[in-house]
Amino acid sequence: MITLPQHTSVLIVGAGPSGLMMAAQLLRNGVQPIIIDVKPGPTNQSKALAVQARSLEIYRQLGVIDKIIKEGKQAGGLSFNMGGEQLAALSLKDMGDAETLFPFILLYQQSKNERLLLDYLTQACCPVYWETSLISLKQNKDSVEVTLQNGDTTHNLTCNYVIGADGAHSVVRKQSGIPFTGDTYQHKFFLADVKLASSMSSDVLTLFMEKNGFAGFFPMPEERSFRIVASLPDGLENKEDLNIEDVLPDLEATTASALKIEQVNWFTIYKLHHRMAEKFSDGRCFLIGDAAHIHSPVGGQGMNTGLQDAYNLGWKLAAVINGQIRETILTSYAIERMPVAKDLLNTTDRIFNQITSRSWLSGLLKRYVMPNVLNLVWKNEKLRRFFFKRVSQTGINYRDSKINLQLGHAHATYIKAGDRLPYLEIFDEKKKVKTDIHTWCSKPGFTLITLGDIKEGFLFTLAKWITQDYQGSINFFHLPPSNTNWHVFDAFEVKAGMRKALIIRPDMHIGYINDIVDIEMMNNYLRNVVGFNR
């Protein structure tokens, strides 16, 4: 029997990656949530495999990146094959060089992500209440009344907000009456985590395409360990108690090779869906991760998108609970994240349909058109960087969000308010050490960065204003002109004799850019646009 308090500021339903990240972000910003899950404990199945650069930047900000890099494996390449012939081979090594500290795709299983985040929660004395389910919720003006069940015991709890991180069958979404629209892909698939005795490239994502299906082999960090995702062979859709031996003949035909499987850690049959909630929030209830959107596994986007949902909502919710920012900021969560999910759904759906299609036209495209296009694209550095920004999620911006403000000139191809803060190495003139601009934004809260030749007296005035008016919720750094930092000035279009003021949001997106360093204008942004309390 568990012991729960009668009230909490935030109840998180679901302790998968999205829910755990949500708890971590709240804890990082000074809010202690309650997190429950119907499961008996964290998953021991690998599930999602790819951790993209933007997620790695989030983990770095949490201070846990070293463990992830040590236990993960960088994807070395991508190989497309058909009829026993390699049609295209693309290198994935450092494809986002200079874009981020992590210019690669890291293979690091969902089960490891969950355990890492659980360790973070444990250190902050935030337990997960396992085998506990949400039975009902009722929203009032100022709170949400929920009924939870653990074993034979029910527990009534009030909370200020509820986060639905409880997956595709979300109880929070259903209780809130939010439609989950979309469709199910026609064919069934199987998924297996295996250890191979036969040879297969240990760091290449290998895709085999045939007329009647496909098979993907995705290396895991452990030696000779692979995730296999493949079409279920015709005639096996209704067969009970399927195992790897049933699909092996078809798998060998698809790969045109003899496969020796030494060990099977996980094997399952499933149907894939592409769906999205019509709203990401309803009153005091919010949806993140698979509760808000599910799509095909193309590009390894699912888990990473859920982590970023939590990253976006976490700081906003904490600021409201802590009384720093008005509640109106919470509407920006859906405004910013729904277009991301919709775009991702459309993109992955088109690509997945093309890969899995069994039409004669699709067969011709896969055999003759797709490989040539891929090889051509990959030789173009600009197109390769565009691909990396899409896959890594570093290219996501919130330029249309109502909580950003762009002032002054900005060239169409340059950085604007709403963009992710670019990764730029800098020389800290004050401390005389090399660092980077993301490190400057590693503390909780907003960060004011001024660029240019500014007198010491005015810098002191800026620091005094922040301290008196914002009581520790804004960090402050200044970068004067120097021979070692002109690349930073160039990135933000700051020419000789000019100044610039940047206000970076807690999620490392730029909230405010101005060519003038003016306290009144920054106050207007923080008070009237973001909604800081006076």
Side-chain angles (χ1 to χ4, degrees), residues 232-459:
L232 191 66
D234 292 338
L236 296 181
E237 289 93 341
N238 300 315
K239 188 178 186 300
E240 295 184 4
D241 301 322
L242 274 174
N243 59 49
I244 195 75
E245 297 300 328
D246 295 311
V247 300
L248 191 56
D250 190 83
L251 195 59
E252 290 184 326
T254 301
T255 60
S257 62
L259 294 172
K260 285 190 176 182
I261 296 175
E262 190 176 292
Q263 184 178 323
V264 180
N265 298 316
W266 184 33
F267 181 86
T268 188
I269 308 297
Y270 67 114
K271 274 203 164 189
L272 286 168
H273 308 266
H274 49 109
R275 299 180 186 278
M276 180 172 156
E278 290 190 4
K279 297 190 296 181
F280 278 17
S281 65
D282 176 65
R284 293 179 169 272
C285 296
F286 296 84
L287 304 177
I288 62 174
D290 286 356
H293 45 79
I294 54 171
H295 37 80
S296 84
V298 167
Q301 302 293 288
M303 178 179 69
N304 295 276
T305 306
L307 294 175
Q308 285 203 57
D309 289 344
Y311 190 47
N312 183 288
L313 179 60
W315 69 268
K316 297 170 183 176
L317 200 56
V320 171
I321 291 165
N322 291 328
Q324 294 171 333
I325 297 177
R326 294 190 292 278
E327 198 172 31
T328 50
I329 196 173
L330 298 180
T331 60
S332 69
Y333 165 65
I335 291 169
E336 291 180 348
R337 294 304 296 170
M338 284 188 76
V340 173
K342 188 174 182 180
D343 178 59
L344 181 63
L345 216 67
N346 292 336
T347 305
T348 57
D349 185 45
R350 286 197 304 270
I351 296 171
F352 192 70
N353 278 328
Q354 183 60 53
I355 292 172
T356 58
S357 174
R358 300 184 181 187
S359 73
W360 66 271
L361 178 59
S362 178
L364 290 175
L365 288 171
K366 284 187 279 190
R367 181 68 182 84
Y368 298 105
V369 180
M370 190 186 297
N372 291 323
V373 169
L374 286 169
N375 284 320
L376 196 65
V377 165
W378 219 246
K379 290 175 183 175
N380 185 305
E381 186 180 347
K382 188 178 284 188
L383 291 173
R384 201 166 62 244
R385 287 193 180 278
F386 173 78
F387 172 83
F388 176 77
K389 283 187 174 184
R390 290 282 297 189
V391 171
S392 68
Q393 302 193 352
T394 57
I396 290 170
N397 72 72
Y398 305 134
R399 288 184 178 183
D400 296 330
S401 174
K402 63 179 184 176
I403 61 167
N404 302 319
L405 184 61
Q406 173 74 43
L407 298 172
H409 83 286
H411 192 275
T413 59
Y414 278 76
I415 300 159
K416 292 185 177 180
D419 290 352
R420 158 191 165 268
L421 179 69
Y423 175 78
L424 296 165
E425 293 183 348
I426 52 179
F427 183 77
D428 190 323
E429 296 288 352
K430 186 177 180 180
K431 296 182 178 179
K432 301 298 179 185
V433 293
K434 286 184 178 180
T435 183
D436 63 81
I437 203 164
H438 282 193
T439 297
W440 273 7
C441 300
S442 60
K443 293 180 180 177
F446 284 72
T447 303
L448 168 64
I449 298 175
T450 53
L451 304 169
D453 193 3
I454 300 176
K455 291 182 179 179
E456 193 75 27
F458 188 55
L459 291 175

Side-chain angles (χ1 to χ4, degrees), residues 132-311:
T132 304
S133 54
L134 173 69
I135 302 302
S136 65
L137 65 81
K138 177 187 175 186
Q139 292 204 52
N140 303 313
K141 183 184 176 183
D142 300 316
S143 65
V144 185
E145 297 174 16
V146 301
T147 302
L148 308 177
Q149 186 160 354
N150 176 265
D152 296 328
T153 306
T154 57
H155 185 91
N156 295 318
L157 178 77
T158 61
C159 46
N160 299 104
Y161 301 96
V162 175
I163 308 298
D166 46 345
H169 303 289
S170 172
V171 177
V172 175
R173 188 186 65 241
K174 291 173 182 175
Q175 289 275 331
S176 301
I178 300 174
F180 199 41
T181 55
D183 207 350
T184 303
Y185 290 105
Q186 180 183 354
H187 303 289
K188 283 186 178 180
F189 304 87
F190 71 87
L191 184 152
D193 283 356
V194 303
K195 190 169 186 178
L196 293 180
S198 50
S199 63
M200 179 81 68
S201 181
S202 63
D203 67 347
V204 174
L205 316 179
T206 309
L207 189 64
F208 300 92
M209 295 175 290
E210 290 300 328
K211 181 182 177 182
N212 292 326
F214 82 103
F217 282 69
F218 305 94
M220 294 193 284
E222 292 73 26
E223 187 180 1
R224 290 186 287 114
S225 294
F226 291 83
R227 156 73 54 75
I228 303 172
V229 179
S231 309
L232 191 66
D234 292 338
L236 296 181
E237 289 93 341
N238 300 315
K239 188 178 186 300
E240 295 184 4
D241 301 322
L242 274 174
N243 59 49
I244 195 75
E245 297 300 328
D246 295 311
V247 300
L248 191 56
D250 190 83
L251 195 59
E252 290 184 326
T254 301
T255 60
S257 62
L259 294 172
K260 285 190 176 182
I261 296 175
E262 190 176 292
Q263 184 178 323
V264 180
N265 298 316
W266 184 33
F267 181 86
T268 188
I269 308 297
Y270 67 114
K271 274 203 164 189
L272 286 168
H273 308 266
H274 49 109
R275 299 180 186 278
M276 180 172 156
E278 290 190 4
K279 297 190 296 181
F280 278 17
S281 65
D282 176 65
R284 293 179 169 272
C285 296
F286 296 84
L287 304 177
I288 62 174
D290 286 356
H293 45 79
I294 54 171
H295 37 80
S296 84
V298 167
Q301 302 293 288
M303 178 179 69
N304 295 276
T305 306
L307 294 175
Q308 285 203 57
D309 289 344
Y311 190 47

Side-chain angles (χ1 to χ4, degrees), residues 3-57:
T3 304
L4 281 163
Q6 292 182 318
H7 179 80
T8 183
S9 54
V10 183
L11 172 68
I12 302 169
V13 183
S18 302
L20 293 170
M21 178 59 82
M22 186 73 202
Q25 291 299 324
L26 289 172
L27 288 164
R28 184 173 178 272
N29 288 283
V31 172
Q32 187 89 11
I34 284 179
I35 180 166
I36 66 168
D37 199 294
V38 69
K39 301 191 304 289
T43 184
N44 56 7
Q45 298 166 342
S46 59
K47 296 192 176 180
L49 271 187
V51 182
Q52 304 292 356
R54 187 60 176 147
S55 299
L56 293 173
E57 290 176 351

